[in-house]
Amino acid sequence: MNLDWIYTAISWILLRWHDLWDLIIPDRAVLGTNWSWILSIVFLVVTLRVILFPLFVKQIKSQRAMQALQPKMKELQEKYKDDKEQLQVKMMELYRTEKANPLMGCLPMFLQVPVFLGLFWILRRLDPGRTDANITLYGWTAEQFHDASVAQLFTAPISATFGSSAEELAVLGANGTVVKIIAGVLVLAMMATTFLTTRQMIMKTGRAEDPQQAMIQKLMLYGIPLSLLVSGAIFPIGVVIYWVTNNLFSLAQQQWVLRKYPPPPTAKKTTGAGKSAPAGKAKNGKAQPAKAGLLGRKAPVQPEPKPVNKALAPKPGAKPVRPNQKRGSTKRKG
């Protein structure tokens, strides 16, 4: 599969941002960093995320639709638990009827994969000692290729990796210890921001009740960050910068979208110390009126009837007794 058109498009965006920042920031390294190239990678992320923003909103809505279908999906799973083929048919009918697409939740991520691979390939090509005609591929000039090849982040070349060999670092004129420190910190930041981004989405949209989807959520939450500990060693520093920036942008973007399109309210279960007693029961086993009405409003508490003193009540058929009359006989004064 020929991906040259992707490499050319990514190079065009990257080089246009570099041309802009090169007019604003001095070309010389400041703090051992060529900021025009670093900011070009950062704003490559911004450009991509702005383009994909409408799809990101659809992703949120699709996840909400899937969450609303959980009760119906659970019913189908119980009904067709012994017929997996029929269950799949009914699930597809449910998705079609409710206009829900489970793949829409992953579409923005899939569209970013070619950009990530393209940038990976472009940065891997950077070599200050290269002089062949291939340096002008994908719209690069020889001067741009040379400048990018020696571009650094705190003296670590953006084309170097954590696992770069001594020979590769010698060609780049880099210190192996510095490269490992910078690359290691960025890989840890990449893992942390990937975890936080996934966790934010799961916490805001709700954990899946379906066991299969719950397993996928756990895999995304823990599996992907752990896999980056290994794969991050082969990523050029510039690619790791791209990934961390993309994650930070995702955290901010998700926070805004989730506030704009909040998840539907769900009934919260109370457990432990916060568990309220059901209607008709209270402390010491005595009956108590319900504290809340149907709509969550507090129902008026009815006063308990006052106890009647049976000793003061007259017996059936007895004559009324005057309150001031004393019992027994009294003598008259003569």
Side-chain angles (χ1 to χ4, degrees):
M1 184 177 179
N2 191 348
L3 299 178
D4 287 352
W5 66 275
I6 294 179
Y7 304 151
T8 302
I10 295 170
S11 296
W12 187 87
I13 298 173
L14 184 68
L15 294 175
R16 297 295 76 75
W17 278 115
H18 175 261
D19 292 341
L20 176 62
W21 287 111
D22 201 32
L23 296 174
I24 302 173
I25 301 175
D27 191 34
R28 67 180 184 276
V30 179
L31 299 176
T33 303
N34 299 97
W35 292 106
S36 59
W37 285 107
I38 302 300
L39 290 173
S40 300
I41 296 174
V42 171
F43 278 84
L44 173 65
V45 175
V46 175
T47 304
L48 176 66
R49 297 309 298 261
V50 169
I51 294 173
L52 294 180
F53 184 76
L55 289 178
F56 183 78
V57 175
K58 288 185 178 181
Q59 176 191 17
I60 297 294
K61 292 181 178 180
S62 176
Q63 289 175 340
R64 300 287 164 72
M66 293 297 297
Q67 185 180 5
L69 290 179
Q70 288 295 327
K72 294 182 180 180
M73 293 170 62
K74 195 171 183 180
E75 291 178 4
L76 291 176
Q77 289 169 354
E78 290 292 331
K79 185 176 181 180
Y80 299 101
K81 59 183 179 181
D82 298 327
D83 191 349
K84 300 297 183 182
E85 184 175 351
Q86 188 66 16
L87 176 61
Q88 292 297 327
V89 173
K90 293 297 181 181
M91 285 288 193
M92 295 305 295
E93 290 180 358
L94 179 63
Y95 294 151
R96 188 165 49 252
T97 303
E98 300 294 336
K99 297 181 180 180
N101 187 356
L103 297 179
M104 180 58 69
C106 302
L107 184 58
M109 182 179 65
F110 288 149
L111 292 178
Q112 293 182 64
V113 171
V115 179
F116 173 80
L117 295 176
L119 184 62
F120 177 86
W121 171 252
I122 290 170
L123 294 180
R124 290 283 288 180
R125 293 179 65 248
L126 297 179
D127 182 355
R130 193 169 186 173
T131 58
D132 56 60
N134 290 331
I135 63 177
T136 58
L137 289 177
Y138 317 130
W140 289 69
T141 65
E143 183 181 0
Q144 290 170 336
F145 186 90
H146 179 267
D147 288 346
S149 297
V150 297
Q152 298 176 336
L153 174 66
F154 303 122
T155 72
I158 62 174
S159 59
T161 69
F162 184 88
S164 292
S165 64
E167 293 77 11
E168 292 172 336
L169 293 175
V171 171
L172 294 172
N175 182 289
T177 303
V178 173
V179 169
K180 281 182 168 46
I181 292 174
I182 299 298
V185 170
L186 287 174
V187 168
L188 292 177
M190 177 173 63
M191 294 172 61
T193 53
T194 299
F195 173 81
L196 292 175
T197 303
T198 308
R199 182 178 180 274
Q200 181 192 51
M201 180 60 68
I202 293 175
M203 296 302 292
K204 290 292 185 179
T205 57
R207 295 186 180 273
E209 297 181 2
D210 178 62
Q212 186 176 3
Q213 292 189 4
M215 182 63 68
I216 293 175
Q217 284 185 344
K218 288 184 179 179
L219 179 62
M220 294 178 63
L221 185 61
Y222 301 106
I224 295 179
L226 288 176
S227 68
L228 295 176
L229 185 62
V230 178
S231 59
I234 65 172
F235 292 162
I237 288 177
V239 172
V240 183
I241 294 172
Y242 170 89
W243 194 306
V244 173
T245 305
N246 187 61
N247 286 343
L248 293 175
F249 197 96
S250 294
L251 285 170
Q253 191 179 62
Q254 284 178 179
Q255 188 66 23
W256 183 86
V257 172
L258 291 171
R259 285 185 179 181
K260 187 75 173 178
Y261 304 97
T266 55
K268 296 183 179 180
K269 297 180 181 180
T270 54
T271 56
K275 187 175 181 179
S276 58
K281 294 183 180 181
K283 298 178 181 179
N284 303 325
K286 295 182 180 180
Q288 294 289 341
K291 295 296 183 182
L294 295 175
L295 300 179
R297 299 174 181 174
K298 291 185 177 181
V301 179
Q302 300 293 336
E304 296 182 3
K306 294 182 179 180
V308 179
N309 191 346
K310 295 182 179 180
L312 298 179
K315 296 181 179 180
K319 295 181 180 180
V321 180
R322 294 179 182 179
N324 296 330
Q325 183 178 0
K326 295 182 179 180
R327 294 181 179 180
S329 58
T330 55
K331 294 182 179 182
R332 296 181 180 179
K333 294 181 181 182

